[in-house]
Amino acid sequence: MTTKTAPNGQDRVWQRMLSGRRLNLIDPSPLDVEITDIAHGLARVARWNGQTSGAQIFSVAQHTLLVETVMRARKPNIDARLRLAALLHDAPEYVIGDMISPFKAVLGGSYKSVEKRLLGAIHIRFGLPAELAPEIERQIKAADRGAAFLEATRLAGFAETEAKKLFGRDPGLPEATVMDYLTPWSAAKAEKRFLTRFNLVLGDATHSGN
């Protein structure tokens, strides 16, 4: 997103979404968050800066579905609200893109503060606390690292020894599942599958919270 100076001399800090919402990056409101915008954006954002094999990009939307799958494989009866948080863990990237970890380290705190505010608004919009408990964050991070191991070795050209040092061990998913989630989908397919899974998990989370 490019920032342009408004006629009154102030910088524009909001982005217009296809839904018509205008999301303010400095002070994001949960009321301006729509799951259709998130799904559309994440399906078009490339993981690994696009440095992956395949005819299509490997999108952040597909990655989040893989993370939730890894989490369910490790704990089949895991709470639906935690699965919802896993699906949304990279949701701010529909606005700010997927910065690779080395670049995040270069940018430092300013990037993380924007990301944190956006994620908090997204969580509130879908019935989650703005900030997750540390234990929940650890579980999501563990599943995220498991997904990253698979992506690194299957799509991004990493040797297994290097991937183990950076991301930990192979999560041990069935090969048929790996082949499905590690074959890059079209943006339309990624968007549709993300929305379908999100609505299912949101329904489960809403039911379990009653």
Side-chain angles (χ1 to χ4, degrees), residues 10-164:
Q10 295 180 340
D11 288 337
R12 176 169 68 86
V13 294
W14 53 264
Q15 179 177 352
R16 186 192 187 283
M17 303 298 173
L18 284 179
S19 66
R21 298 289 188 183
R22 284 174 166 79
L23 186 66
N24 188 306
L25 272 69
I26 301 300
D27 186 22
S29 169
L31 297 176
D32 291 325
V33 174
E34 298 289 350
I35 193 59
T36 52
D37 293 329
I38 292 174
H40 185 82
L42 295 186
R44 288 158 176 78
V45 175
R47 286 272 291 170
W48 306 93
N49 263 356
Q51 297 299 308
T52 51
S53 59
Q56 309 283 349
I57 66 164
F58 184 78
S59 70
V60 174
Q62 193 166 348
H63 162 74
T64 60
L65 290 168
L66 178 59
V67 171
E68 195 253 345
T69 299
V70 171
M71 184 172 283
R72 282 188 289 115
R74 289 177 171 171
K75 294 186 177 181
N77 297 320
I78 199 163
D79 186 87
R81 285 167 60 83
L82 204 160
R83 291 189 281 123
L84 180 62
L87 280 174
L88 294 171
H89 79 281
D90 278 340
E93 294 176 6
Y94 89 107
V95 182
I96 57 180
D98 181 24
M99 297 283 187
I100 59 173
S101 295
F103 194 41
K104 287 182 182 180
V106 171
L107 291 177
S110 58
Y111 175 90
K112 290 185 178 296
S113 64
V114 173
E115 185 179 45
K116 184 177 181 180
R117 286 195 296 268
L118 286 168
L119 186 58
I122 291 165
H123 279 175
I124 293 170
R125 172 65 177 84
F126 300 113
L128 296 171
E131 292 191 35
L132 302 175
E135 176 55 30
I136 293 177
E137 288 189 345
R138 282 192 290 270
Q139 291 183 57
I140 293 173
K141 186 61 178 177
D144 189 31
R145 287 168 61 84
F149 176 92
L150 291 172
E151 295 166 21
T153 53
R154 300 293 185 110
L155 294 172
F158 285 67
E160 285 200 14
T161 52
E162 184 178 16
K164 285 179 181 178

